Amino acid sequence: MSAVVALLRAVNVGGRTVRSAELRSVAESLGHTEVTTYVNSGNLVLVPAGGAAPDDVAAGLSAAFESELGFDVPVIARSATEWELVVRALPFPAQAESDPSHLVVCCWDGVPDVASIRTFDASVYGNESVIWHGRETYAYYPDGIGRSKLTLPVLSKAAGRVGTARNWRTVLALQKLVQERS
């Protein structure tokens, strides 16, 4: 059975607090096993019930979280193989080595709109570099993420998709958790 990475969007921000124990409890109530969380920002790794596909895991978790928590919780999920490809496709290896906290991967709920991303110009927002790759976007923020004008909502609008972002250290930590369960 292959593990799945499930990324919750917009939890533990803006009053939408969800404890890791709650995340695990909801996932386990759906029959998922070997459920673990990574840092308190909506990262789950699990072995899906009945070998469910990542999109089905995401939809089930999203519905269960909304029912349990009372607010919409978009979930983006990737299989172990897909997560490995996210890591391997990294277009910024030097930055990942020297400055991983300023490197982010945005995972989308589908493939971004090709016409929109062709015309997207990250230089309008500052010194950031952006590479679109399938259902992911890699962004490097040399001056830091916190004050950047290149935000997830800006990238979401360009992509025409719902997504969530994780820094490179988190991506690698989730890779390790997935490998331990696959």
Side-chain angles (χ1 to χ4, degrees):
M1 199 69 73
S2 184
V4 167
V5 174
L7 308 171
L8 285 67
R9 183 178 180 281
V11 295
N12 298 330
V13 295
R16 295 167 48 118
T17 304
V18 186
R19 291 183 172 84
S20 291
E22 291 175 287
L23 297 179
R24 284 190 304 275
S25 176
V26 169
E28 289 169 349
S29 76
L30 296 173
H32 303 307
T33 60
E34 297 187 51
V35 179
T36 192
T37 59
Y38 177 75
V39 299
N40 200 27
S41 60
N43 302 297
L44 280 168
V45 176
L46 54 84
V47 174
D55 287 345
D56 295 331
V57 170
L61 286 170
S62 184
F65 287 130
E66 183 172 6
S67 175
E68 180 77 20
L69 304 170
F71 54 83
D72 181 38
V73 181
V75 178
I76 310 296
R78 300 289 187 266
S79 69
T81 301
E82 291 168 329
W83 198 253
E84 194 63 38
L85 292 173
V86 167
V87 174
R88 287 185 190 164
L90 175 68
F92 300 112
Q95 293 86 339
E97 182 71 28
S98 66
D99 195 15
S101 64
H102 290 161
L103 180 58
V104 170
V105 177
C106 301
C107 297
W108 307 111
D109 65 350
V111 177
D113 179 63
V114 175
S116 292
I117 62 174
R118 262 194 208 128
T119 61
F120 182 78
D121 182 6
S123 69
V124 170
Y125 299 94
N127 295 322
E128 293 82 3
S129 299
V130 175
I131 303 290
W132 302 86
H133 185 269
R135 295 186 303 162
E136 279 72 42
T137 301
Y138 299 83
Y140 177 61
Y141 295 81
D143 302 322
I145 298 165
R147 291 178 295 236
S148 175
K149 293 179 181 160
L150 184 64
T151 61
L152 183 59
V154 168
L155 291 169
S156 290
K157 184 176 179 183
R161 308 302 293 179
V162 172
T164 188
R166 299 298 186 271
N167 74 37
W168 192 246
R169 287 186 178 140
T170 297
V171 169
L172 294 179
L174 293 171
Q175 177 191 33
K176 182 178 179 192
L177 291 171
V178 166
Q179 290 170 343
E180 290 170 355
R181 284 159 180 75
S182 292

